[in-house]
Amino acid sequence: MAWERRDLAAAGEWYLKSLAVLEKHGVDGGAAMTYHQLGTIALDKQDFPVAREWYLKSLAITEMQGDAHSAGITYHQLGMLAQREQKFAAAREWYLKSLAIKEEQGDEYGTANTYHQLGMVAEEERDFAVAREWYLKSLAISEKQRIEGGAALAYHHLGVVAQEQQDFAAARDWYLKSLAIKERQGNLRGAASTYGQLGTMAGIQGSFEQSGRWFARSIVAFAETHDQLGAKQGVENFLLLHRLAPPADKQKLEAIWREAKLGPFPTEPNQ
């Protein structure tokens, strides 16, 4: 419960209290689960060396006990860790180990999740053709199982891939499909990310006013979800767009800023 509230300090304390009892009584399976959770907390804190230690302690037990399902979950998390560290080859290896177990066990939800992460690795490596293949495999399961959140995520990243490949019409279609789900589900933070991508794409195409409207929506949504980093990036994107815009569009952008009630319009990025 503390972890779901994003109170990572409290979550860590509870897990450690649990772990002390589990280790004392030799409950290895419970200890392995708790090591895994402590690894996830460390990963959320960006403490990668500590996360790795916890995950490997968990893995040592689950592999020894032949608990393939739990091992597969930890392989996936070790892939996430390697991906955060920009170690893409290692991330791919961990994900593929996880995937082999999930596919063998018929775990479609877990399989879709790992397909998606493999797509993200390929996207970060700018291998967009491979990324698209993984995303489509993930999407096929999400649509079949009616996992709308997973489908929305796949639609968004398929939009990113299409945008990188300069297929703006396809990218827009994917983004709008993602947005329809996110808005219906009240996923404002997810919607904020897609608003931002639509703003970026409109700016690339020279549609300054449309781009500004998307960026403004993104800034407002990030602010409402208390994502300061996302809101800051949105402001930087808006100001860059303003600097590049012709005089007539500058005035329109300033009007959009005021309509969104974002405060006085800053004239320089460092303001």
Side-chain angles (χ1 to χ4, degrees):
M1 288 174 65
W3 182 70
E4 288 180 3
R5 292 196 310 267
R6 311 306 297 158
D7 187 347
L8 302 182
E13 289 178 15
W14 286 116
Y15 284 134
L16 288 171
K17 285 172 71 98
S18 173
L19 185 60
V21 177
L22 292 165
E23 289 181 331
K24 177 182 176 182
H25 292 280
V27 186
D28 287 346
M33 186 184 301
T34 307
Y35 292 147
H36 179 94
Q37 291 302 119
L38 285 163
T40 300
I41 288 173
L43 182 60
D44 282 351
K45 290 179 176 179
Q46 307 290 309
D47 191 343
F48 301 141
V50 170
R52 182 177 293 102
E53 286 181 23
W54 287 121
Y55 284 142
L56 292 176
K57 287 187 75 161
S58 175
L59 197 57
I61 294 173
T62 55
E63 287 181 332
M64 180 182 66
Q65 293 183 334
D67 182 355
H69 178 75
S70 296
I73 294 171
T74 304
Y75 292 148
H76 181 96
Q77 288 301 117
L78 283 162
M80 295 275 286
L81 171 60
Q83 188 175 345
R84 296 267 189 94
E85 294 178 308
Q86 305 285 293
K87 297 175 181 176
F88 299 127
R92 187 179 297 103
E93 287 181 21
W94 286 118
Y95 286 141
L96 289 173
K97 288 186 73 165
S98 176
L99 188 60
I101 293 170
K102 290 171 179 176
E103 288 180 328
E104 182 182 349
Q105 295 185 338
D107 178 4
E108 288 196 307
Y109 182 88
T111 295
N113 192 17
T114 303
Y115 286 155
H116 185 85
Q117 289 304 129
L118 283 161
M120 290 189 70
V121 168
E123 182 185 319
E124 291 192 67
E125 292 179 311
R126 303 192 65 77
D127 190 343
F128 299 119
V130 170
R132 186 174 187 277
E133 288 178 17
W134 285 119
Y135 290 143
L136 287 172
K137 284 170 73 84
S138 176
L139 181 60
I141 295 174
S142 292
E143 289 182 330
K144 175 187 169 187
Q145 298 292 337
R146 298 182 180 178
I147 307 167
E148 285 199 316
L153 197 58
Y155 292 146
H156 178 96
H157 281 274
L158 283 163
V160 172
V161 167
Q163 181 177 328
E164 291 287 350
Q165 294 176 321
Q166 306 292 299
D167 189 346
F168 298 127
R172 181 178 174 80
D173 287 344
W174 287 120
Y175 287 142
L176 292 178
K177 288 186 75 166
S178 177
L179 203 52
I181 295 172
K182 291 171 178 176
E183 290 180 332
R184 186 172 67 249
Q185 292 186 331
N187 179 6
L188 190 57
R189 190 178 182 281
S193 180
T194 305
Y195 294 148
Q197 287 299 129
L198 283 161
T200 298
M201 189 168 67
I204 291 169
Q205 294 177 288
S207 301
F208 291 97
E209 183 178 358
Q210 185 182 61
S211 177
R213 292 194 182 281
W214 285 121
F215 281 143
R217 291 180 72 178
S218 177
I219 295 164
V220 170
F222 276 127
E224 288 183 7
T225 54
H226 309 290
D227 186 334
Q228 294 181 349
L229 188 61
K232 181 175 181 290
Q233 184 61 58
V235 170
E236 289 174 0
N237 289 338
F238 196 104
L239 295 178
L240 175 60
L241 183 73
H242 183 268
R243 288 201 303 277
L244 296 173
D249 284 310
K250 285 184 190 294
Q251 293 181 359
K252 292 177 184 178
L253 290 171
E254 290 166 17
I256 290 168
W257 182 276
R258 290 191 295 272
E259 287 168 12
K261 299 180 180 178
L262 295 172
F265 187 79
T267 56
E268 296 294 338
N270 60 3
Q271 288 181 279

